[in-house]
Structures are given as structure tokens and as C-alpha cells.
Amino acid sequence: MFTLKSKSLNLLIAFTMVVSVFLFGSSQKASAGLASGSKFLGNVIASSVPSNFGTYWNQVTPENSTKWGSVEGTRNSMSWSQADIAYNYAKSNGFPFKFHTLVWGSQEPSWVAGLSAADQKAEVTQWIQAAAQRYGGSDFVDVVNEPLHAKPSFRNAIGGDGSTGWDWVIWSFEQARLAFPNSKLLINEYGIISDPNAAAQYVAIINLLKSRGLVDGIGIQCHQFNMDTVSVSTMNSVLNTLSATGLPIYVSELDMTGDDATQLARYKEKFPVLWENTNVKGITLWGYIQGQTWKDNTHLVTSSGAERPAMTWLKQYLGSGGTQIPAAPTGLTATAGNAQVALGWTASSGATSYTVKRATTSGGPYTNVATGVTATSYANTGLTNGTTYYYVVSATNSAGTSGNSAQASATPSAGTQIPAAPTGLTATAGNAQVALGWTASSGATSYTVKRATTSGGPYTNVATGVTATSYTNTGLTNGTAYYYVVSATNSAGTSGDSSQVSATPSAGGGTGTLVAQYKASNTNVTDNTIGATFNIKNTGTSAVSLSGVKLRYYFTKDGTASLNAYVDYAQVGAANVSGAFASATGTNTDTYLELSFSAGAGSIAAGGQTGEIQIRIAKSDWSNFNEANDYSFDGTKTAFADWNKITLLQGGTIVWGTAP
């Protein structure tokens, strides 16, 4: 047993650390990396320090060596040798060091799950104290990693959900604050940068910690499975949500894939969004050398030492102070209305504002009609019907102003009116969701749903292009009040907002007491079988008959062969579960598998669950799928997690999840 009361052991540790720092510092000194100023640009160190690490990076995070499962794979036997390499290198070169991580369900020691609750609590306490005794000089500590996705097996031993829903997280930070009084304590999570709903859930946990003075910063993983496809507008929306907490943001695990041209384009578009945000105080990449990154094609330097174009650009960008003149906006559209033209365009990476210019002759000369526009849309009113107007837009930031966009034109006429703001908006709270409904606005072709957590806003768009007069906002935090308005749109433009309504979701009543959980039982994205395991929980106060429940899993069938579904195991009885395929439309899907339950499956008791339901999908010709972008697939979910990309229906109405 590693004991913290052994004076001789403490002295030995201290002596070893001093000697290793001296030897390391005398043998290798690094340069300051690419970043200068108050922000750091870091990377991970695995078992050894790459010779060119200091050429690029000036912050250190151990890749695996400070995770509990790596340190104490065998109970009472702690191995710190690889962690010492990373820590000593950072300290000898004056680089910030982050300890990653104290409490995490994905790489905890395998032996801890089988202990009694009392022993689990004692062991995790000892682990935190041992880590602090050795690395108390850490600049940052990831206290809890992935609380929304990878809860530890021992969480009930350290408080469980408790009265806040996150008592185990609060306990972890309390212990870390005692053990690491001089370090900045961070929380860390993935899937945030691309999902405003997940960001709102994350902020709910953060605010619990902030109110107790336990958290010093917000970590957001920005891995390729989010960053490759996320839009700049979504990134900015999420960063604004996190910034509203008043805490600094640290991008903890950044990587992007692609061939040379694709990766370069992604870095040029998205890295400045992170780096130039004033609340982002540092960025750590998750590997950079070919063959030494956790995902293929995320490397920036080849195994022979050659820099990929994205690395060359990164050096140039940071060498210019981290700001570049934005590119000219693209995708400019002009839609005519009655005495007005509605303009829209695609955001330019790094732009802080836009200038709208107009002419009555194609090609100009143009006159500025609006400057300092921060949105990617503008309505130019007070125009003369029957006159053709020509528009361009430019983008601006502190480095300068772009050239003009491609020209767009429109001729306003009296034939179409902007719709009136929707009326009759209602909000009905459910379990982790709010169901909205409103009266149709005459002439509207679509609606935009906006949400805030403060009465009166500011509001964030949560759904655009809604063609129905109802919308269910899922993935919310129970106990939090949400405020909603809705606007109406047609070709003439967009109305003002409706009157505000509010609702507070809770687990105790209302519709939507069912929760779908998912894990990928087959993580190979290009073989001939889709494998998934489900669990349905009932968070309500009364039993739910399974015969009235349907579960839908969305995917792409990748071919024309017919499909077969297999229920390999179900705790409610495989014979009581049947599957049928149907066509679907939407993001990354053309098909869904719908699971139905016979009367023999029984009911889910209040507070109960179905237990595992294991399914496989295969084609009649056994050809391969490509699940990489399938809507419901997530290969990182190898343990059960609530998953809103699977829908549950009761009586034909979706009560959990969001359809594509």
C-alpha cells in the first residue's frame, strides 16, 4: 500500500524529483515554441520527448502516463516513470504542465470496480493525494474528465448524483482543491464545441462548481470527430455560451484530419476561431508526429520530420501575431421582399464584423449601407420596388478588411410581405426537454426557435428552418429554467420575435420520462455489420408499457442490397423485440431501424430500465457499410451513455432524442 505518512518515502520522492529535474534541465533546453504572449500552444508527451517538441510547443500534457489506470494498473503499485519524463521536461523548460486526469471512467484501474464503496472512496482519495504529493507543482489539473460521457464506476461511493445531480463531481473537485491548492483546477469534456445543447448541459455542471469556488477553467476537447465538420457559427455560439460563465477556456485536445489540402483548409478556417477568442487562454494539440497520434491523418509532421502544409501555415499564422485578414465572405444570397432585400452569407473565419455595400449598377460603384454588422445576415429596407439592387459584403478584423464577396442582386416588389411574429407560443416541460407549439404566421415558410437561460435573452438559435408549428428541445438540464421566442421567415425576410415563454424541465413528470442509452458494440466503421446495444430507462413516477414504445436508430445503408436485423440478446427477451427498416431523410441518414416490443416484454417500472438490447444490422449480400458519418453511430461510446441521436416514440410522438 502506498502510504502518504511515510516520511522516508516522501524524502525519497523529493530527492528523485530534484535529481531528475537537474539532469533533464542540463541535457536539453527547449525554445519557446510557436506561440508568444499570454496564450500557450501545447502538445502531449507520451513515453519520451520528441527532439523537436520545443520547436513548436510551449505547454505539456502527458498523453496517458498520469491517468489512474496507467499509474496504478496493479493495486498498491504506482508507476510514475513516464509521467516524470513529461513533468520534468516541462519544469526544466518553464512550460506550463497539466496533470491529466484525476477522475475518469474510461481509464480507471480495472480492479477498482469490484471494491466495496468504502474501499473505492479510500482508494480514489489516496490516488488524488498521491498525485498531488508528486506533482503538486502542476500548473493545471484536469480534475474530472468527460462527466457527461464517461462516469466512473465508483461515482456512487463519492457522492453519486446526490441533491445536485452531480455530487460526485463536486466531491472530486473538493478533494482536488485540498490536494492541489496552487494549481488551476479544470473540468474537461468532448462533444461540446459542435453541440450547443451539450454546451448548455456542461455549463450547468460548471456553474455548480463555480458557485462553490471549486473550478478555475473550462476544458473543451476539440477532436477531429467534431472539428472536421463543425461550422464556424456553431463554434462561436458554443464559445459564447462557455464565456458567459466568466471562466477562462482551455482547448485541451485538438486535432483535425484530412489529406494535406483538406487538413490545411480546416486549420485555416477553424484554428483562428479558437485562438482569437479572447476567453480562450491556451490550446493543446493531441499529438503531431505521424504514427504517434491516436487517429490517422491528424499529424502535422511526417515520420521523417517534414512539415505538412497545415503546420507551415500554423507557423506563419502565429508568426504574424495570430491574426490574419479574413477571407472575403462566400455564399452571398439576396432575397427580394416588399421594398427590401434580405441578405445572407457564410461566416469568414476570424471576422469580427462585416460591411454591406450596395449599387444600382452591376459591378458598382458600391456604397456602404451597413458597417459593423456582427451577424451573417442583414435586411436592407426602404428600397424602391421594381429597382434592381446589387450587393457585395466584406469581412473585417483587427488585421484589416477582406476584399468583396461575389456580387448578388435582387429586385424588391410589393408581392410578398414579411410574416408577422408568431403568436400563441406555449412551452411544456418534460424530462430534460421542453415541447413548444405556436400559431402559424400567415405567409411564413419556416420558423427559427431561440432559447436563453435568462429572461429577455440574449437568445441563441437552437433550431432554424423549422417548417412545422411545433418543436421539442431535448438534451436540457432538469431544474434549469429556459426562455424561448420564435420568429417567422419567408422570401421577404424574417419577423420579429414572438412573446417569450418559459419552462423548467424535470425528471418527475410531464411527457418524455424515457431516456435512451447507447453503446457501440462494433466500433469498426467499415466492416459488414453494424452493432449497437441499447438500454431504455424510465425516469418517471409510473410504469411504462414497452408495447407502446418504439426505438429508432438512424444510419446510411451504403448500397441497394436489402437489410436484415438481428436481436442477439435482450434482457426483456429477444423474442419480444422485433425490428423493421424504413427510409429516412436528414443529416447522415437514409434509413432507420425501428425496434418494437411485444406484450411479452412487459413494462419498465418507475425508475427502472430494460437492460441490454443487443442488435446487429447486415446486408443480404454481406457487403461493407461505412458508418463514419452515420447519424446515430458514435464509436467513442463503448460504455452506456445517454444518446439523443437515437429517438424513442410513444403513441407515434418522439419523447426522447432528436431525429436527423
Side-chain angles (χ1 to χ4, degrees):
M1 175 67 71
F2 182 98
T3 172
L4 299 175
K5 297 181 179 180
S6 170
K7 182 176 181 181
S8 61
L9 181 56
N10 292 347
L11 291 173
L12 177 59
I13 290 173
F15 177 75
T16 302
M17 295 286 285
V18 170
V19 170
S20 57
V21 168
F22 174 78
L23 291 176
F24 209 105
S26 64
S27 63
Q28 184 174 11
K29 276 284 185 181
S31 63
L34 299 179
S36 60
S38 60
K39 297 189 181 188
F40 63 73
L41 182 66
N43 218 305
V44 293
I45 289 177
S47 58
S48 62
V49 183
S51 60
N52 60 359
F53 188 94
T55 303
Y56 302 111
W57 322 114
N58 65 351
Q59 182 270 335
V60 173
T61 299
E63 185 172 16
N64 284 297
S65 60
T66 48
K67 296 170 182 173
W68 191 7
S70 298
V71 174
E72 197 178 2
T74 301
R75 189 180 182 187
N76 302 329
S77 177
M78 293 188 175
S79 173
W80 302 102
S81 58
Q82 290 189 3
D84 283 349
I85 290 172
Y87 183 82
N88 295 340
Y89 175 80
K91 290 301 176 182
S92 65
N93 288 283
F95 294 167
F97 176 84
K98 184 171 74 171
F99 188 98
H100 174 75
T101 180
L102 293 176
V103 177
W104 185 31
S106 288
Q107 283 184 246
E108 64 183 32
S110 59
W111 48 264
V112 74
L115 301 181
S116 67
D119 283 347
Q120 285 180 332
K121 186 174 183 179
E123 288 289 349
V124 70
T125 301
Q126 183 187 71
W127 154 243
I128 292 171
Q129 292 174 353
Q133 186 175 35
R134 195 168 187 96
Y135 305 116
S138 298
D139 299 271
F140 305 94
V141 177
D142 280 339
V143 179
V144 175
N145 197 43
E146 301 174 3
L148 294 172
H149 293 96
K151 300 174 183 178
S153 65
F154 51 83
R155 65 184 179 277
N156 289 332
I158 57 175
D161 293 342
S163 61
T164 66
W166 299 97
D167 280 15
W168 66 273
V169 175
I170 294 170
W171 181 92
S172 300
F173 273 83
E174 289 172 342
Q175 301 307 306
R177 184 67 86 197
L178 291 172
F180 290 89
N182 300 315
S183 303
K184 292 183 179 179
L185 304 185
L186 309 180
I187 191 168
N188 195 41
E189 183 58 271
Y190 73 83
I192 302 301
I193 192 64
S194 61
D195 188 343
N197 286 332
Q201 295 178 60
Y202 195 33
V203 165
I205 305 173
I206 291 164
N207 284 336
L208 289 172
L209 298 169
K210 181 186 174 185
S211 68
R212 293 163 171 80
L214 294 173
V215 65
D216 302 309
I218 302 169
I220 52 170
Q221 301 176 27
C222 289
H223 282 303
Q224 45 81 30
F225 52 80
N226 295 134
M227 290 297 293
D228 284 359
T229 57
V230 66
S231 68
V232 167
S233 60
T234 296
M235 292 175 68
N236 282 321
S237 174
V238 168
L239 291 172
N240 289 339
T241 296
L242 300 179
S243 297
T245 65
L247 293 171
I249 300 167
Y250 297 91
V251 177
S252 57
E253 304 176 26
L254 173 67
D255 47 38
M256 287 179 262
T257 61
D259 56 30
D260 283 354
T262 301
Q263 187 191 48
L264 172 62
R266 287 170 174 164
Y267 265 88
K268 291 177 71 173
E269 178 188 25
K270 297 167 186 179
F271 186 88
V273 177
L274 301 171
W275 188 258
E276 295 176 25
N277 188 288
T278 57
N279 292 299
V280 174
K281 304 304 182 184
I283 296 177
T284 304
L285 279 73
W286 208 251
Y288 68 104
I289 299 174
Q290 186 179 24
Q292 299 178 37
T293 60
W294 78 302
K295 293 291 185 181
D296 292 341
N297 293 323
T298 59
H299 64 285
L300 294 171
V301 176
T302 69
S303 55
S304 64
E307 296 175 352
R308 295 184 74 186
M311 176 61 89
T312 302
W313 171 84
L314 195 60
K315 290 168 63 177
Q316 295 169 345
Y317 170 73
L318 293 170
S320 65
T323 303
Q324 59 181 0
I325 296 174
T330 60
L332 179 62
T333 60
T335 304
N338 180 31
Q340 68 172 18
V341 171
L343 302 167
W345 58 91
T346 302
S348 295
S349 179
T352 55
S353 67
Y354 301 91
T355 298
V356 178
K357 309 172 188 181
R358 184 188 69 206
T360 53
T361 303
S362 179
Y366 302 102
T367 301
N368 291 354
V369 293
T371 59
V373 177
T374 56
T376 55
S377 61
Y378 179 76
N380 187 204
T381 59
L383 303 179
T384 302
N385 288 333
T387 298
T388 300
Y389 295 91
Y390 302 88
Y391 294 90
V392 293
V393 178
S394 61
T396 299
N397 64 13
S398 60
T401 299
S402 74
N404 291 332
S405 67
Q407 178 181 274
S409 64
T411 305
S413 67
T416 304
Q417 301 288 337
I418 295 175
T423 59
L425 179 62
T426 61
T428 304
N431 179 33
Q433 66 179 16
V434 171
L436 301 167
W438 57 91
T439 302
S441 294
S442 178
T445 55
S446 68
Y447 300 91
T448 298
V449 179
K450 310 172 188 180
R451 184 188 70 206
T453 52
T454 303
S455 180
Y459 302 103
T460 300
N461 291 353
V462 293
T464 58
V466 178
T467 55
T469 55
S470 62
Y471 178 76
T472 300
N473 188 203
T474 59
L476 303 179
T477 301
N478 287 333
T480 298
Y482 295 92
Y483 302 86
Y484 295 90
V485 294
V486 178
S487 60
T489 299
N490 65 13
S491 61
T494 298
S495 75
D497 292 334
S498 68
S499 298
Q500 177 183 273
V501 295
S502 67
T504 304
S506 68
T511 61
T513 62
L514 298 181
V515 175
Q517 293 192 314
Y518 158 82
K519 63 181 178 181
S521 44
N522 176 10
T523 59
N524 187 336
V525 298
T526 56
D527 66 1
N528 61 11
T529 304
I530 295 173
T533 303
F534 311 113
N535 179 41
I536 304 173
K537 299 193 300 183
N538 177 11
T539 62
T541 56
S542 59
V544 174
S545 172
L546 278 169
S547 62
V549 175
K550 296 182 186 296
L551 180 151
R552 290 178 180 174
Y553 179 91
Y554 302 86
F555 64 100
T556 53
K557 60 184 179 181
D558 302 312
T560 58
S562 60
L563 299 167
N564 297 309
Y566 308 89
V567 180
D568 292 327
Y569 170 78
Q571 191 170 323
V572 297
N576 296 317
V577 184
S578 59
F581 296 101
S583 297
T585 58
T587 304
N588 297 329
T589 185
D590 56 27
T591 308
Y592 64 78
L593 170 65
E594 182 175 88
L595 298 183
S596 302
F597 302 88
S598 69
S603 299
I604 314 175
Q609 57 189 13
T610 60
E612 290 197 357
I613 303 167
Q614 300 174 5
I615 65 97
R616 284 181 298 120
I617 301 170
K619 303 179 190 179
S620 57
D621 62 1
W622 292 97
S623 59
N624 287 343
F625 293 97
N626 183 355
E627 299 178 74
N629 291 315
D630 281 3
Y631 182 77
S632 294
F633 174 75
D634 186 345
T636 68
K637 289 181 170 57
T638 55
F640 274 131
D642 297 354
W643 189 223
N644 65 4
K645 291 190 175 181
I646 294 168
T647 56
L648 295 175
L649 293 84
Q650 286 180 284
T653 299
I654 293 177
V655 295
W656 168 266
T658 303

